[in-house]
């Protein structure tokens, strides 16, 4: 049962449609957060995005609908939600700028390492468990933080949970990024021997 999944070239699969809907929700989320500052509705959009992130992967694996496009869309939607949320949170003074800078530096380092990997003729590595756990924590922590901002009556419960998810998520995000860069460095160092 541990055979590698065969990637399909299909575009119109349920997981891909869910990923496209998640991408389409980013402008709505940003508008809710920065325009009318409707934090509760922004939290709902973010929570729905987190749920569809889980659902598209589950459906893809269960019904054999993994595809090359899905492998691009899913992490792209995750990164876009995380980036847009962080930038909006900084603009609204919900999180400190240094916290966002730390996560952006991580993404920049991984992006440069990925370019080096592609330059050596390799495709991107699969997302590891740490990266998935980090994304899970961040995408569940952000709506809880918005919920605490939107409804003060729930803040006593939602705020500590939000901080716990976000702190753990950020730590795992940095560790996953360092692990990814280390893997790429090992592959690139061994590339000449492999090519020979």
């Amino acid at each position: 049962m541990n055979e590698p999944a065969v990637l399909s070239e299909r575009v119109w699969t349920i997981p891909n449609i869910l990923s496209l809907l998640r991408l389409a929700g980013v402008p709505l989320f940003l508008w809710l957060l920065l325009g009318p500052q409707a934090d509760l509705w922004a939290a709902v959009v973010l929570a729905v995005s987190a749920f569809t992130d889980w659902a598209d992967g589950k459906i893809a694996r269960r019904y054999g609908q993994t595809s090359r496009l899905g492998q691009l869309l899913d992490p792209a939607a995750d990164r876009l939600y995380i980036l847009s949320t962080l930038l909006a949170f900084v603009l609204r003074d919900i999180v400190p700028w240094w916290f966002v800078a730390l996560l952006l530096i991580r993404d920049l380092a991984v992006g440069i390492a990925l370019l080096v990997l592609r330059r050596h003729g390799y495709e991107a590595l699969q997302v590891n468990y740490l990266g998935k756990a980090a994304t899970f924590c961040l995408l569940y922590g952000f709506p809880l933080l918005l919920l605490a901002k939107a409804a003060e009556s729930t803040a006593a419960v939602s705020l500590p949970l939000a901080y716990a998810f976000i702190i753990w998520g950020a730590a795992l995000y940095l560790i996953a990024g360092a692990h990814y860069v280390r893997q790429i460095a090992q592959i690139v160092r061994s590339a000449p021997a492999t090519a020979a």
Side-chain angles (χ1 to χ4, degrees):
M1 284 306 227
N2 288 335
E3 296 174 10
V6 178
L7 293 179
S8 165
E9 296 295 335
R10 291 175 56 198
V11 172
W12 297 112
T13 63
I14 293 171
N16 288 352
I17 291 168
L18 288 174
S19 291
L20 287 169
L21 288 173
R22 282 171 58 218
L23 283 169
V26 172
L28 172 63
F29 168 72
L30 282 173
W31 176 77
L32 288 167
L33 203 55
L34 298 174
Q37 296 190 2
D39 293 346
L40 190 56
W41 285 110
V44 168
V45 171
L46 204 51
V48 168
S49 167
F51 174 76
T52 57
D53 181 32
W54 168 83
D56 70 21
K58 190 85 170 165
I59 292 168
R61 287 185 296 276
R62 171 104 185 205
Y63 298 104
Q65 294 189 0
T66 55
S67 67
R68 293 188 192 283
L69 180 62
Q71 281 195 331
L72 295 173
L73 285 177
D74 187 52
D78 290 344
R79 293 297 159 267
L80 199 52
Y81 266 104
I82 289 170
L83 179 63
S84 60
T85 303
L86 289 171
L87 292 177
F89 279 7
V90 165
L91 291 173
R92 293 262 319 266
D93 289 324
I94 295 174
V95 296
W97 66 267
W98 58 263
F99 176 79
V100 175
L102 199 60
L103 298 184
L104 290 178
I105 289 168
R106 177 266 192 208
D107 277 347
L108 182 64
V110 169
I112 291 169
L114 187 56
L115 289 174
V116 170
L117 185 68
R118 291 215 172 143
R119 188 172 176 89
H120 281 80
Y122 294 95
E123 290 190 18
L125 301 176
Q126 284 196 330
V127 178
N128 60 33
Y129 180 76
L130 279 176
K132 290 179 180 180
T135 301
F136 171 87
C137 287
L138 290 173
L139 289 180
Y140 280 81
F142 292 153
L144 286 169
L145 189 56
L146 285 173
L147 183 62
K149 288 289 238 182
E152 289 183 19
S153 59
T154 66
V157 174
S158 58
L159 199 56
L161 283 173
Y163 283 137
F165 271 114
I166 291 170
I167 290 168
W168 274 106
L172 291 173
Y173 199 67
L174 294 171
I175 293 167
H179 179 66
Y180 198 70
V181 169
R182 186 180 59 80
Q183 277 184 304
I184 290 173
Q186 287 174 342
I187 291 169
V188 168
R189 273 199 301 268
S190 66
T194 304

